[in-house]
Amino acid sequence: HDWGAYFEEERVVGTFALRDLDAGVTQVWNVDRASDARRPASTFKILNSLIALEVGAIADVETIVPWDRVDRGVTSWNRDHSLRSGIEVSAVWLYQQLAREIGHDQMQAWVTAADYGNGDIGRGIDQFWLRGRLRISPLEQLDFLERFASGRLPFRSEVTASVADILIREQGDGWAWSHKTGTSLTADPHLGWLVGVTEHDGRRHVFAMNLDLQPVA
């Protein structure tokens, strides 16, 4: 499939990788970039949610965490949030609070157990996926998402099912589309991510895309 035409049409530089979990076939546009590890930004919220639930930093996906009343410049963040609402609007403060609750040692143990990217959570328990040393490539995102969608991550099945549920953005008869966005403003140029899982007529795919957010001149 000529995915490159879509990138060229929108005048953006990026990569797209898709894996058919049933056939075991991976298709990639721009394989060099797909192998390049970058900060995960808010795509890390998938793993952060799994760890928070597994270790009891939050009871379930509906539990409300009170907003600390600090305005961070994003209107949709400025209220109390559950995991379900927080992951949809990508409320950074909620996930920073959960990461502090999880703590460095537990976080490192679970990031390592999940074999997530380079596994480096250095430079701050509430910053490492935003401004720290954690890096993951689109192809590594596919590996992680495949283990997630196949129930092969080291989390309880009910935890995995809960996070799979809150990632669903659209669904209908025989199909569902789940995804998580990410934006790294510390990258130059700024980096945008979209990763997720699709189901259609019993077939499952995982995908990972990233792109430079400034259009090509």
Side-chain angles (χ1 to χ4, degrees):
H1 193 88
D2 185 18
W3 291 312
Y6 299 111
F7 287 90
E8 289 160 15
E9 184 179 332
E10 298 297 329
R11 301 192 357 265
V12 294
V13 175
T15 183
F16 181 78
L18 178 74
R19 180 172 298 163
D20 182 329
L21 298 188
D22 303 290
V25 174
T26 302
Q27 301 174 68
V28 183
W29 160 255
N30 195 345
V31 69
D32 286 346
R33 184 174 174 123
S35 305
D36 187 21
R38 300 166 187 246
R39 286 194 179 102
S42 286
T43 65
F44 181 73
K45 289 186 171 77
I46 299 173
L47 182 53
N48 203 349
S49 298
L50 290 163
I51 297 170
L53 289 166
E54 183 70 32
V55 305
I58 193 167
D60 54 47
V61 298
E62 313 298 348
T63 295
I64 298 296
V65 178
W67 176 40
D68 60 9
R69 316 303 296 175
V70 176
D71 187 342
R72 294 171 176 83
V74 182
T75 304
S76 62
W77 296 1
N78 293 343
R79 59 183 179 87
D80 300 349
H81 272 294
S82 64
L83 277 181
R84 183 180 298 279
S85 66
I87 203 164
E88 183 168 7
V89 301
S90 212
V92 168
W93 69 261
L94 170 66
Y95 281 88
Q96 290 181 310
Q97 184 169 322
L98 290 172
R100 291 190 292 268
E101 188 80 21
I102 292 163
H104 182 277
D105 291 352
Q106 283 195 117
M107 182 70 83
Q108 183 66 75
W110 285 104
V111 168
T112 300
D115 194 20
Y116 188 89
N118 68 353
D120 190 338
I121 69 165
R123 295 207 183 150
I125 187 61
D126 57 5
Q127 298 292 327
F128 64 84
W129 66 93
L130 299 167
R131 298 176 183 83
R133 294 197 292 258
L134 187 63
R135 299 288 188 277
I136 192 167
S137 71
L139 291 175
E140 288 171 331
Q141 292 267 24
L142 291 191
D143 294 340
F144 170 73
L145 291 164
E146 178 175 9
R147 294 193 300 273
F148 171 65
S150 304
R152 298 205 313 268
L153 288 174
F155 301 101
R156 286 173 286 135
S157 58
E158 58 267 33
V159 166
T160 301
S162 292
V163 175
D165 181 59
I166 62 174
L167 285 173
I168 296 170
R169 291 292 155 261
E170 294 180 86
Q171 60 184 324
D173 186 19
W175 65 273
W177 186 47
S178 306
H179 69 73
K180 184 69 198 80
T181 55
T183 306
S184 178
L185 301 180
T186 56
D188 183 21
H190 293 169
L191 178 71
W193 280 103
L194 186 71
V195 306
V197 183
T198 68
E199 295 187 37
H200 186 263
D201 291 338
R203 294 188 71 85
R204 297 174 307 154
H205 293 76
V206 294
F207 64 90
M209 176 176 71
N210 74 31
L211 47 83
D212 297 341
L213 293 180
Q214 288 92 325
V216 178

